[in-house]
Amino acid sequence: MIKVSLVGTGNVSHILKSAMDAAQGIDVLEVYNRGNLPHMESEGTIGKSQPDIYIIAVNDDAIPFVSQQFKETKKMVVHTSGNVSIEALPKNVRRGVFYPLQTISKSCTIDFKEVPLCLEAENEDDLEVLRNLALLISDHVYQVPSEKRKQMHLAAVFANNFTNHMYHVGSEICRANDIPFAILHPLIQETARKVVDMPPKEAQTGPAIRHDSKTMEEHLSLLKNEKYRALYTLLSESIQDTYGKEL
Amino acid sequence: MIKVSLVGTGNVSHILKSAMDAAQGIDVLEVYNRGNLPHMESEGTIGKSQPDIYIIAVNDDAIPFVSQQFKETKKMVVHTSGNVSIEALPKNVRRGVFYPLQTISKSCTIDFKEVPLCLEAENEDDLEVLRNLALLISDHVYQVPSEKRKQMHLAAVFANNFTNHMYHVGSEICRANDIPFAILHPLIQETARKVVDMPPKEAQTGPAIRHDSKTMEEHLSLLKNEKYRALYTLLSESIQDTYGKEL
């Protein structure tokens, strides 16, 4: 049985708790918030169960401060951020990272088995503990050092945050023209499904890759929002840069 | 039985033929290419079956020229483009549009029943013929006039073409850092799945909407490609414009 205490009450903490409660072999002892952090001086007190791992699932900015409260513990202390180095945790503890690479909102019911978990620790024993824990809740467990994790997080900003903004712009164009956005849903699903079959570079279609400047000009004239026009132009240029001028 | 002849041998023609062959009540008489266009003067010749509809599934630029070959027919002539007006077809024929709003490549097996079909015709009788045909192959049939269809096509450029480019940039960052792109697949699927549950405006996450300028600066310093840096900045600005400064 691996014993875990969660620190933080946001989406990541929430979803980790659900996944761990549903798994065999994990005991979630506590979910701490900022107001009820444990007193480390009492660690080991008879009668009070101690976790093997403290999982600090708080905002990136709060990680140094919150984790500092655990600087005296002999247990592992890990954070769950994609973009924060393992070094943000207190120097003298057994540090680690337990980063779920997924867009997590409380309301969504995701199958956690499908969420990639990116792990980091400072020695093989601690990594093994994290790996054992991770494999109980996910089928996709990776060891990823801090520098690589930051690049991965950056890639995720494009594949998730910026992609969602593309959906938003599409939905705004629909709204402004009394078109139900649902008409675009199958296209969005199919575009996403395709990346599993072929690299996105091969799946690219549209006026930019065809150098269809007549359509591009028409599209620019339809766009009233200046920022959207700038996005259209820059995205089209970036697509054309990707494929050279010969296509 | 609705009789159809397809003109063109590209992806759209291919996928329409498959869907129509599989459907009850549609007879695909011919698939013409540019070299074997039918001789209109022989229309009505005894013994030669005539279609009810000619579907011109060729590149946008070729639609005026190819459809001109059908200017004498008494049958309906429709094109399949999102961005071309119904006016591109010859003036004196019964004109229409039969636009499948989907990213179509020959290799993909899509369930055509899920593909939205956008129809246009110049009178109610012709629209009825198109609607009857469309409902035999798709569960999502809409009547969409040319101007709205162009806006829809523009929205689709964001939701499909530009989204796919976001995937490509993500995959490039992975490649440059020896990260398997497959690690991002679940995130991409979940981002797409979410639009069905909530408007993309509500689903937005990431450093830009949080005004997390420390992370954004770090990301910019990680990006070596100048175009990608410009995209990162402009997309972040556009996200921040969307939500105002108060968040």
Side-chain angles (χ1 to χ4, degrees):
Chain A
M1 185 67 76
I2 303 179
K3 288 178 287 179
V4 168
S5 286
L6 288 159
V7 182
T9 53
N11 294 342
V12 173
S13 171
H14 181 86
I15 207 91
L16 283 177
K17 174 139 175 40
S18 300
M20 289 176 174
D21 281 348
Q24 297 288 320
I26 305 177
D27 191 2
V28 180
L29 302 182
E30 297 254 16
V31 179
Y32 295 107
N33 62 37
R34 284 191 193 207
N36 76 344
L37 291 175
H39 296 286
M40 281 303 125
E41 58 268 33
S42 66
E43 194 172 73
T45 304
I46 291 162
K48 170 102 169 134
S49 185
Q50 296 297 324
D52 302 301
I53 309 173
Y54 289 102
I55 300 182
I56 316 284
V58 300
N59 285 344
D60 287 7
D61 289 349
I63 290 171
F65 172 77
V66 172
S67 66
Q68 200 60 31
Q69 315 303 306
F70 297 86
K71 69 179 178 200
E72 307 292 351
T73 187
K74 302 283 182 292
K75 313 299 181 181
M76 280 193 80
V77 178
V78 306
H79 73 62
T80 60
S81 165
N83 201 47
V84 172
S85 165
I86 196 171
E87 311 275 340
L89 299 168
K91 251 190 191 149
N92 300 317
V93 300
R94 292 163 51 204
R95 305 188 284 195
V97 178
F98 195 85
Y99 167 49
L101 177 65
Q102 184 53 278
T103 170
I104 290 171
S105 46
K106 237 174 209 163
S107 59
C108 281
T109 50
I110 49 171
D111 178 4
F112 208 92
K113 283 271 164 207
E114 296 304 317
V115 174
L117 276 171
C118 306
L119 311 181
E120 185 176 2
E122 294 181 299
N123 62 64
E124 193 47 51
D125 287 352
D126 286 349
L127 190 65
E128 195 57 26
V129 174
L130 285 186
R131 195 181 286 127
N132 289 338
L133 175 65
L135 287 168
L136 292 171
I137 56 173
S138 169
D139 291 337
H140 304 276
V141 175
Y142 301 84
Q143 181 194 354
V144 184
S146 286
E147 278 317 305
K148 228 177 217 191
R149 181 162 36 78
K150 283 184 188 190
Q151 296 281 359
M152 197 185 281
H153 182 250
L154 173 60
V157 166
F158 279 90
N160 166 23
N161 304 153
F162 292 161
T163 288
N164 187 71
H165 189 56
M166 296 296 94
Y167 300 162
H168 171 66
V169 176
S171 78
E172 282 293 285
I173 295 167
C174 287
R175 198 178 54 77
N177 294 282
D178 281 324
I179 298 161
F181 180 53
I183 209 171
L184 289 180
H185 286 177
L187 181 66
I188 287 172
Q189 303 308 322
E190 176 63 14
T191 307
R193 202 202 52 73
K194 258 190 187 175
V195 290
V196 177
D197 287 347
M198 65 174 102
K201 187 169 182 180
E202 288 175 29
Q204 189 64 52
T205 55
I209 190 173
R210 291 199 310 270
H211 287 260
D212 176 352
S213 43
K214 192 168 149 258
T215 298
M216 289 193 278
E217 272 164 40
E218 261 193 68
H219 281 167
L220 284 171
S221 75
L222 293 176
L223 284 168
K224 300 301 167 223
N225 180 310
E226 204 183 314
K227 208 63 139 221
Y228 295 170
R229 272 210 303 281
L231 277 175
Y232 190 98
T233 302
L234 192 62
L235 285 158
S236 296
E237 281 174 18
S238 182
I239 289 171
Q240 295 183 344
D241 284 0
T242 304
Y243 300 89
K245 294 295 179 197
E246 79 280 5
L247 274 167
Chain B
M1 186 65 78
I2 303 178
K3 287 178 287 178
V4 167
S5 285
L6 289 159
V7 182
T9 54
N11 294 341
V12 173
S13 170
H14 180 86
I15 208 89
L16 284 177
K17 174 141 174 38
S18 300
M20 289 174 173
D21 281 347
Q24 297 288 320
I26 306 175
D27 191 4
V28 180
L29 300 183
E30 295 255 17
V31 179
Y32 294 107
N33 62 37
R34 283 190 193 208
N36 76 345
L37 291 176
H39 296 286
M40 282 303 125
E41 58 269 33
S42 66
E43 195 172 72
T45 305
I46 290 160
K48 170 102 168 130
S49 185
Q50 295 298 324
D52 302 299
I53 309 173
Y54 289 102
I55 301 182
I56 316 284
V58 301
N59 286 344
D60 287 6
D61 289 349
I63 289 171
F65 172 78
V66 172
S67 65
Q68 202 57 31
Q69 314 304 307
F70 297 85
K71 68 179 178 200
E72 307 292 351
T73 186
K74 301 282 182 291
K75 313 299 182 179
M76 280 194 79
V77 178
V78 305
H79 72 63
T80 60
S81 165
N83 202 48
V84 172
S85 165
I86 196 170
E87 312 275 339
L89 298 169
K91 252 190 189 147
N92 301 317
V93 301
R94 292 163 51 207
R95 304 188 285 194
V97 178
F98 195 85
Y99 167 49
L101 178 64
Q102 184 53 281
T103 169
I104 290 172
S105 46
K106 236 175 213 164
S107 59
C108 281
T109 49
I110 49 172
D111 177 5
F112 208 92
K113 282 269 165 209
E114 296 303 318
V115 174
L117 276 172
C118 306
L119 310 181
E120 184 175 3
E122 294 180 301
N123 62 64
E124 194 46 50
D125 287 351
D126 285 349
L127 190 64
E128 196 55 28
V129 174
L130 284 186
R131 195 181 285 128
N132 289 339
L133 175 64
L135 286 169
L136 291 172
I137 56 173
S138 168
D139 292 336
H140 305 275
V141 175
Y142 302 83
Q143 179 193 356
V144 184
S146 286
E147 279 315 306
K148 229 177 216 194
R149 181 161 36 79
K150 282 184 188 190
Q151 296 281 0
M152 197 185 282
H153 182 251
L154 173 59
V157 166
F158 279 90
N160 165 25
N161 304 154
F162 291 161
T163 287
N164 187 70
H165 189 56
M166 295 295 94
Y167 300 161
H168 171 67
V169 175
S171 79
E172 282 293 284
I173 296 167
C174 287
R175 197 178 54 76
N177 294 281
D178 281 325
I179 298 162
F181 180 53
I183 208 171
L184 289 181
H185 286 177
L187 181 67
I188 287 171
Q189 303 309 321
E190 177 62 15
T191 307
R193 201 201 53 73
K194 259 190 186 175
V195 291
V196 178
D197 287 347
M198 65 175 102
K201 187 169 181 182
E202 289 174 28
Q204 190 63 52
T205 56
I209 190 174
R210 291 197 310 270
H211 286 261
D212 177 351
S213 44
K214 194 169 147 254
T215 299
M216 290 193 277
E217 273 165 38
E218 262 192 67
H219 280 167
L220 285 170
S221 75
L222 292 175
L223 284 168
K224 301 300 166 222
N225 179 311
E226 205 182 317
K227 208 64 140 217
Y228 294 171
R229 271 208 304 281
L231 277 175
Y232 189 99
T233 302
L234 191 62
L235 285 159
S236 297
E237 281 174 17
S238 182
I239 289 171
Q240 295 183 345
D241 284 1
T242 303
Y243 299 90
K245 296 295 180 195
E246 79 283 2
L247 275 168

